[in-house]
Amino acid sequence: MNNSLDPIVYLNGEFIALKEAHVSVLDRGFIFGDGVYEAIPTYAKNPFRLQHHLDRLNNSLHAIQIKNPLSSKQWHQLIEQVIQKNNFEDQSIYLQVTRGVAPRKHTFPQYDNPTVFIMTSPMEKQSLDVMENGIHVITLVDNRWQNCHIKSISLLPNVLLHQQAIDKGAQETILVRDGEATEGSASNLFIVLNNCLITPPKSPLLLPGVTRDLIVEIAHKQEICLKEQAIHEEDLFNAQEIWLTSSTKEILPVTKVNDKIINHGKPGPYWHQLISAYQDYIQEQRENNSNER
Ligand code: PDD
């Protein structure tokens, strides 16, 4: 059992302290960014929507031609062990699979030798300020590749696009490709326009977010108008509300895009309705889990 400063992680068959976890400099993850990852929120030690994350991991691995080194059952067991070996309640699980160690050649190595790494850290709660006043974002041209549905560890474009927001005093970037807003640098995009929730349809140009899917489910259940359709850049400036969603940030209200204030600078009524339903759903998961323990 370890604390958050010195968590126990899983690396290639072993549970060890994070500071003892090392991979070779020849790992293709290090050399080429040749690998994929998942980030999974864990409430009351219960991984949230885990099978959805494992399904997307499977798709990402398949897309880059790495054979999934573990069965779904093995993934469940390893993740459960990492969670239980660390003594903080709400955790953010990060897992990564790379093509492993091989001489530096672009050609895939002949034999499968993937590196499997799972770590955990405490889940960060959203600040009261963000929940009351929302975040500010900028728009930038989406200059990433055409395979953004793969959850690749090659995140340099995302990192650079995100940092431009930070450098301008904003918190996130909304990416625009050919006049259409696709997603954030590490989040999916929703807007409310004409009293209807809109999110771009799944395509290779954005990550199929697990949080996005849950919001779509909740909206259907609550009979809120929801359309999966393109969001034009100008729609952002006419929107009643804008949200960015991810496993670690949940549902972030956006109250300023570039210089335009959204909903008088406050999170709107649709956001309040959805965040409340989302938090109820998390609470149900927590209680189910504590009944099982
Ligand atoms: N990122 N789009 C991008 C580009 C992302 O990186 C993420 C998540 C999402 C939201 O997906 P989900 O709801 O499944 O978390 C959308 C994670 C949190 C990260 O990189 O840490």
Side-chain angles (χ1 to χ4, degrees), residues 50-70:
L50 177 56
Q51 196 52 49
H52 296 257
H53 286 278
L54 293 179
D55 290 346
R56 185 173 62 189
L57 174 69
N58 234 342
N59 293 341
S60 297
L61 285 169
H62 181 74
I64 69 164
Q65 299 176 52
I66 293 180
K67 192 167 163 278
N68 195 331
L70 299 168

Side-chain angles (χ1 to χ4, degrees), residues 153-215:
I153 62 169
S154 308
L155 285 174
L156 187 55
N158 302 61
V159 167
L160 294 175
L161 289 161
H162 182 80
Q163 190 59 36
Q164 288 190 60
I166 304 301
D167 292 346
K168 293 204 160 83
Q171 284 90 55
E172 210 352 355
T173 304
I174 293 180
L175 306 172
V176 178
R177 197 187 293 247
D178 298 331
E180 290 179 7
T182 51
E183 60 176 344
S185 72
S187 50
N188 287 116
L189 172 66
F190 285 81
I191 66 168
V192 180
L193 193 67
N194 301 325
N195 295 318
C196 192
L197 205 47
I198 304 175
T199 193
K202 289 181 188 174
S203 81
L205 300 184
L206 54 93
L207 189 80
V210 173
T211 318
R212 172 198 181 279
D213 284 353
L214 178 53
I215 292 167

Side-chain angles (χ1 to χ4, degrees), residues 135-259:
I135 62 162
H136 296 175
V137 305
I138 59 167
T139 55
L140 286 176
V141 170
D142 190 348
N143 56 10
R144 301 173 302 164
W145 65 339
Q146 305 272 342
N147 292 310
C148 298
H149 61 301
I150 301 172
K151 205 160 168 57
S152 161
I153 62 169
S154 308
L155 285 174
L156 187 55
N158 302 61
V159 167
L160 294 175
L161 289 161
H162 182 80
Q163 190 59 36
Q164 288 190 60
I166 304 301
D167 292 346
K168 293 204 160 83
Q171 284 90 55
E172 210 352 355
T173 304
I174 293 180
L175 306 172
V176 178
R177 197 187 293 247
D178 298 331
E180 290 179 7
T182 51
E183 60 176 344
S185 72
S187 50
N188 287 116
L189 172 66
F190 285 81
I191 66 168
V192 180
L193 193 67
N194 301 325
N195 295 318
C196 192
L197 205 47
I198 304 175
T199 193
K202 289 181 188 174
S203 81
L205 300 184
L206 54 93
L207 189 80
V210 173
T211 318
R212 172 198 181 279
D213 284 353
L214 178 53
I215 292 167
V216 169
E217 264 176 46
I218 293 174
H220 286 321
K221 223 180 261 169
Q222 302 218 346
E223 298 183 354
I224 296 170
C225 170
L226 180 134
K227 292 182 192 159
E228 296 186 53
Q229 68 179 38
I231 295 176
H232 302 289
E233 187 174 10
E234 60 270 18
D235 294 338
L236 294 174
F237 303 99
N238 296 319
Q240 293 158 262
E241 298 185 26
I242 302 178
W243 316 336
L244 290 170
T245 69
S246 79
S247 296
T248 46
K249 304 280 187 196
E250 302 177 346
I251 314 174
L252 290 179
V254 173
T255 47
K256 191 174 166 202
V257 183
N258 299 340
D259 290 329

